[in-house]
Amino acid sequence: MKLSEEHIFKGYWWLPTNPNNKVAGILTYSPGERMCLELIGGFENAQGEYIGLFDEKNKSIPLIYGKDSNAKEITLVDCRSSFSLNFSADFPVMRYSARMLILDKHIGDLDESCEYTAYIRFPELSQWAPPGAIEQIVSFDQAGKDIESSTFVLPTLRGEEGVIFSVTCENDVQISICRSITYNSGELSLKPDLEQYSYLEIKRPGVGMSIPDIFHELYKFQQFLSLATKRNVQFESMYLKDPDIRQDFRDGQKSYYFPIHILTVQRPVFNPTKLNRNKFLFRYEDMPDRIPDLMAKWMSDSDNLQPIKSHLVDSLVYKPLVGSVDFLQVVQAIEGVWWRFREDEYRVVNNIPKRKKTTLMTILQEIQKALSDILKVSSMSLDVEAVVDSRNYYSHFVDKSKKPKTLDGLQLYDLTRQLRTLLLCLVFELLGLSHTEINILMSKQR
């Protein structure tokens, strides 16, 4: 069930606290826009009054249950009400905008924990870590010129065979990049459809996770993939498996777990129309032995790097326009790395009193010196005075004549690009890469 497609659910709807008051209605999911439930009538309280019709305190409803025409259970999360009412009619039309839809399960509470396994697909993931599951065998004639046959070998991909790599992160959360194959022969095998793809798997064995916990890990991975691909990455589909929602077959056959699909409204993002893996910052095959450790450190919450990671990703991903706000964002992230990880050691080594503040000019000069063995850094001609003047002008709106080296336009873009390289090297260093590894990685930038 893709988030890029419209979905309509017709059925009955009710509040978890009043299952006997079922109301007919239609739920419409419009990708990138809204998720709206429209009821003919509304939910009633004990006095027979429509809830949320005129009282502001009931405008927000945490959960709404439903069952659609396919007998699928539906939970709507974080619903906000509005209504239209014609006083000549006997009923109102109530509308609820929802933040999330959970298909095929009624959850008791959004924060309830369960041994879910989440399966998430991204358009970019198969390009970043190709599945490589299907093997093609080509047979030639005796002369070796013409192809006689072409055979595709489709492995079963059970267990470890389906895992590209896996890593255990903080709190025993297991993140895996897996491969899969789908095949549909079509009617009379006239139009067979064969696809292989990579997907993300999230779980915490033996402990379980809530749906917000899963989204927390998902968004961190989404940032990592955005960094790697330099694109505004969003997931295209997501479903969960609950070990309690399954069909057990006789004779010890494998159980079938019913997928619990998740729909949520995502805001539109800008990306180049064509997905080109040659323009990625790095790909899985560039450093397969290091990616698991790199990802585990990126997924950490305890390193206090999250704001800096966000600034780094926001500065790297595609934007149709780059301006002063992007410049300030990169400068702020560089200063954040300095104050968090380098300031104390710098003061001790240079015997600097606490009252004296380290200037931005000194910070940039010291960082360049520390990263001087990285070719991308040593070869850049960063105008530190221009960075300082531009930061002060765009941050504090001082008289431009007092900051003569302030840059704008193409010059500011080039300055931002150089600072972004510094920030990228700093974050890679904090994630555990050596300068030699950073040098190799930066030299492959396309």
Side-chain angles (χ1 to χ4, degrees):
M1 181 174 287
K2 292 187 176 181
L3 274 69
S4 59
E5 299 172 350
E6 184 177 72
H7 301 282
I8 297 176
F9 305 89
K10 302 176 183 179
Y12 279 98
W13 311 86
W14 65 93
L15 298 180
T17 54
N18 191 4
N20 295 321
N21 177 210
K22 293 182 171 66
V23 185
I26 298 175
L27 173 67
T28 303
Y29 170 82
S30 301
E33 296 181 11
R34 63 175 185 162
M35 193 184 312
C36 181
L37 170 64
E38 188 172 71
L39 301 179
I40 307 302
F43 304 125
E44 298 178 357
N45 58 23
Q47 290 74 40
E49 301 168 336
Y50 289 117
I51 297 174
L53 193 58
F54 295 112
D55 51 335
E56 287 294 327
K57 66 179 181 179
N58 287 316
K59 289 290 184 183
S60 181
I61 299 178
L63 298 176
I64 294 177
Y65 286 171
K67 180 169 282 190
D68 73 354
S69 55
N70 293 316
K72 295 286 189 180
E73 294 181 344
I74 297 175
T75 304
L76 297 180
V77 178
D78 194 11
C79 305
R80 186 77 180 170
S81 68
S82 63
F83 68 91
S84 61
L85 176 63
N86 186 331
F87 288 99
S88 298
D90 296 330
F91 58 87
V93 174
M94 298 295 297
R95 298 182 183 88
Y96 294 90
S97 59
R99 180 170 60 88
M100 184 187 302
L101 178 152
I102 302 168
L103 180 64
D104 224 4
K105 183 178 182 180
H106 286 155
I107 64 170
D109 183 83
L110 190 60
D111 293 323
E112 70 181 8
S113 187
C114 178
E115 280 206 62
Y116 291 121
T117 301
Y119 303 87
I120 305 114
R121 288 187 64 175
F122 298 85
E124 294 85 358
L125 188 54
S126 296
Q127 297 270 357
W128 182 71
I134 299 175
E135 181 184 0
Q136 183 180 7
I137 301 174
V138 179
S139 299
F140 293 88
D141 59 15
Q142 292 183 350
K145 294 181 178 180
D146 296 325
I147 296 176
E148 285 190 335
S149 66
S150 184
T151 304
F152 292 91
V153 180
L154 280 61
T156 55
L157 299 180
R158 292 192 180 98
E160 292 300 317
E161 294 178 357
V163 179
I164 298 175
F165 73 90
S166 184
V167 60
T168 300
C169 305
E170 287 182 349
N171 302 320
D172 297 321
V173 174
Q174 187 173 311
I175 303 292
S176 302
I177 306 300
C178 305
R179 54 172 68 92
S180 185
I181 299 171
T182 59
Y183 173 71
N184 185 355
S185 62
E187 185 178 0
L188 299 176
S189 298
L190 296 176
K191 292 184 178 181
D193 182 34
L194 178 62
E195 180 189 16
Q196 62 174 330
Y197 59 90
S198 303
Y199 64 91
L200 169 68
E201 180 184 288
I202 302 175
K203 61 183 177 181
R204 184 158 53 190
V207 179
M209 306 175 74
S210 67
I211 291 177
D213 290 338
I214 292 171
F215 270 91
H216 178 67
E217 302 300 325
L218 165 60
Y219 288 139
K220 287 188 293 183
F221 176 82
Q222 193 165 278
Q223 275 193 328
F224 178 84
L225 192 58
S226 291
L227 171 74
T229 61
K230 296 194 291 187
R231 291 173 59 87
N232 293 291
V233 169
Q234 290 184 329
F235 66 96
E236 63 179 353
S237 65
M238 174 181 180
Y239 72 91
L240 312 176
K241 283 185 180 178
D242 181 340
D244 295 327
I245 301 179
R246 69 181 190 270
Q247 179 178 350
D248 294 325
F249 299 102
R250 295 179 180 179
D251 303 323
Q253 294 184 37
K254 186 178 179 181
S255 300
Y256 174 75
Y257 293 90
F258 295 95
I260 302 167
H261 292 277
I262 305 290
L263 288 178
T264 184
V265 178
Q266 300 185 108
R267 61 180 178 85
V269 296
F270 293 101
N271 272 317
T273 53
K274 186 177 180 181
L275 182 58
N276 185 354
R277 72 190 307 264
N278 291 323
K279 293 185 178 180
F280 292 176
L281 179 63
F282 60 91
R283 300 165 297 191
Y284 172 68
E285 67 262 29
D286 290 334
M287 43 180 182
D289 296 332
R290 298 290 283 128
I291 288 291
D293 288 339
L294 193 68
M295 184 178 294
K297 290 181 179 179
W298 181 274
M299 300 291 289
S300 170
D301 289 316
S302 61
D303 62 2
N304 297 320
L305 267 176
Q306 193 54 45
I308 295 169
K309 294 172 187 172
S310 297
H311 284 313
L312 173 62
V313 172
D314 288 344
S315 69
L316 277 175
V317 298
Y318 171 81
K319 294 183 180 70
L321 296 172
V322 177
S324 59
V325 174
D326 303 284
F327 163 77
L328 291 174
Q329 188 176 43
V330 180
V331 174
Q332 183 180 359
I334 290 174
E335 287 184 300
V337 174
W338 175 269
W339 297 117
R340 174 72 176 82
F341 299 100
R342 292 175 176 264
E343 172 71 5
D344 292 343
E345 182 182 356
Y346 174 73
R347 286 182 175 277
V348 171
V349 171
N350 294 277
N351 196 25
I352 298 174
K354 292 183 178 180
R355 290 175 295 177
K356 187 175 180 181
K357 182 180 179 180
T358 306
T359 65
L360 177 58
M361 182 172 292
T362 301
I363 289 173
L364 293 173
Q365 289 171 342
E366 289 298 318
I367 287 176
Q368 280 189 286
K369 189 188 303 181
L371 302 175
S372 60
D373 56 339
I374 298 173
L375 184 59
K376 284 277 187 179
V377 175
S378 61
S379 61
M380 71 169 56
S381 54
L382 181 65
D383 190 336
V384 176
E385 292 183 2
V387 176
V388 174
D389 278 8
S390 298
R391 195 282 299 269
N392 291 334
Y393 172 71
Y394 291 115
S395 292
H396 309 300
F397 303 106
V398 297
D399 189 340
K400 195 170 185 178
S401 63
K402 295 181 181 178
K403 303 295 176 185
K405 301 208 73 175
T406 297
L407 302 180
D408 55 21
L410 189 59
Q411 291 179 314
L412 183 65
Y413 170 80
D414 186 62
L415 193 65
T416 304
R417 181 182 55 78
Q418 294 181 73
L419 291 172
R420 191 169 55 196
T421 298
L422 282 183
L423 177 59
L424 189 58
C425 292
L426 287 171
V427 173
F428 277 149
E429 187 181 60
L430 291 171
L431 291 176
L433 294 183
S434 68
H435 284 198
T436 301
E437 291 172 316
I438 297 173
N439 212 11
I440 295 172
L441 200 58
M442 298 297 288
S443 68
K444 291 182 179 180
Q445 281 201 58
R446 288 159 283 272

